[in-house]
Amino acid sequence: MKKDLLRMHDLTKEDVTGILDLADQMKYDLRHGRAHRHLEGKTLGMIFEKASTRTRVSFETGMYQLGGQALFLSSNDLQIGRGEPVEDTARVLSRYLDGIMIRTFAQREVEDLARYASIPVINGLTDLAHPCQVLADLMTVRERLSALAGVTLCYIGDGNNMCNSLTVGALTAGMSVSLAVPAGYDPAPEVLMFARAFGDRFRLLRDPREAARGADVVATDVWASMGQEAEAAARRQAFVGFQVNDDIMALCAPHAIVLHCLPAHRGEEITAAVFEAHADSIFDEAENRLHAQKAVLTLLLHPC
């Protein structure tokens, strides 16, 4: 693996398989009371410029289970929040810590942090990418369907950070991807360029019904992400018809599972009935953040 995990483009198919294999082992060990304190004495700094439930709790708990510790650093606690250049923050934190996880808005900030840090940097979420969530998603698909290669994923909704990372991650893992996004809400251009190199394993559609036909996995996300609250009303209009509901699920394969990175807005991107019918896979997906991130932390902070 590279020194940092900044987006799914950083990972090869072999990297993804290695992370998921280790995550599976750690999940098994945890459930059977087997300690795996691979990061004894290591410290992870966690920079939060966006609020979070799952990211903070899963990373903090993960470091504890690995024998290390995690420091919560909000932008109010750092000089970066008062205008210190990110390159200076990166060089200072590299003298104290063994790794940095950052959850922020601009991908550029994460890239700059990694460029100047001598320690690994992990992207906990940006407006462009959400690699840790997608590793948990792939782990869940492999658990539920016993494979990644040959599986068809349908994503319905906004071409946001989840859509970007799911597209890259699923194609890298050998899956086929059908996206249904409204015009004007496409994934990032670099993601489309990457995806189109996979030929007929990738489709960008405007019709959710066509995208869902025969799918093994259906994924979605909120119509207005954090920081887009002012656009919420306009987005509700633009996304009419792009809801995961019983009609959509009836077009999928009978064994199809549903993924949602949470929080879910029932009645908007997904109906309450579909959410509850597939709650087991959705909350497996949430749990797998813990295991997938522990694997990433171990491979980056304590490489064998």
Side-chain angles (χ1 to χ4, degrees), residues 25-250:
Q25 183 64 50
M26 288 180 164
K27 185 172 184 175
Y28 179 88
D29 287 347
L30 185 65
R31 290 188 170 179
H32 291 80
R34 298 179 183 173
H36 39 251
R37 299 173 68 83
H38 304 310
L39 299 183
E40 197 91 49
K42 303 279 188 180
T43 301
L44 176 74
M46 306 190 304
I47 300 173
F48 281 87
E49 296 189 38
K50 276 187 175 182
S52 164
T53 300
R54 281 157 292 282
T55 298
R56 178 177 179 180
V57 175
S58 57
F59 268 105
E60 199 162 318
T61 302
M63 280 301 291
Y64 174 78
Q65 292 177 0
L66 290 167
Q69 64 173 338
L71 299 178
F72 175 77
L73 303 166
S74 77
S75 55
N76 293 330
D77 300 320
L78 294 169
Q79 296 300 324
I80 197 171
R82 299 170 58 197
E84 182 176 68
V86 68
E87 54 264 38
D88 290 356
T89 300
R91 287 180 284 201
V92 169
L93 293 183
S94 295
R95 304 294 180 107
Y96 304 144
L97 303 171
D98 300 289
I100 300 170
M101 187 284 298
I102 179 169
R103 181 179 167 95
T104 188
F105 293 89
Q107 180 74 13
R108 178 63 179 270
E109 186 176 1
V110 177
E111 305 274 351
D112 286 345
L113 190 69
R115 183 173 302 114
Y116 287 95
S118 59
I119 57 177
V121 173
I122 299 169
N123 181 352
L125 177 142
T126 64
D127 291 345
L128 178 72
H130 201 355
C132 293
Q133 176 66 57
V134 167
L135 287 169
D137 294 358
L138 296 177
M139 182 178 175
T140 307
V141 172
R142 201 171 73 160
E143 280 179 342
R144 290 265 167 177
L145 302 179
S146 302
L148 291 173
V151 170
T152 299
L153 178 141
C154 161
Y155 175 90
I156 298 174
D158 188 17
N160 59 8
N161 49 8
M162 275 305 303
C163 181
N164 290 334
S165 293
L166 262 177
T167 300
V168 175
L171 290 170
T172 299
M175 300 168 67
S176 296
V177 176
S178 295
L179 305 181
V181 300
Y185 294 90
D186 284 354
E190 68 194 72
V191 171
L192 290 178
M193 183 180 300
F194 174 90
R196 284 174 172 143
F198 288 83
D200 61 6
R201 280 177 50 203
F202 173 74
R203 297 187 303 163
L204 175 62
L205 304 165
R206 305 299 178 203
D207 181 357
R209 296 175 62 84
E210 181 60 25
R213 204 173 303 280
D216 304 297
V217 181
V218 180
T220 188
D221 192 9
V222 294
W223 290 343
S225 299
M226 201 177 301
Q228 296 172 332
E229 290 79 3
E231 305 172 28
R235 283 173 167 267
R236 277 194 292 273
Q237 290 294 319
F239 285 86
V240 168
F242 286 79
Q243 181 188 66
V244 177
N245 52 35
D246 287 335
D247 291 341
I248 289 293
M249 295 307 300

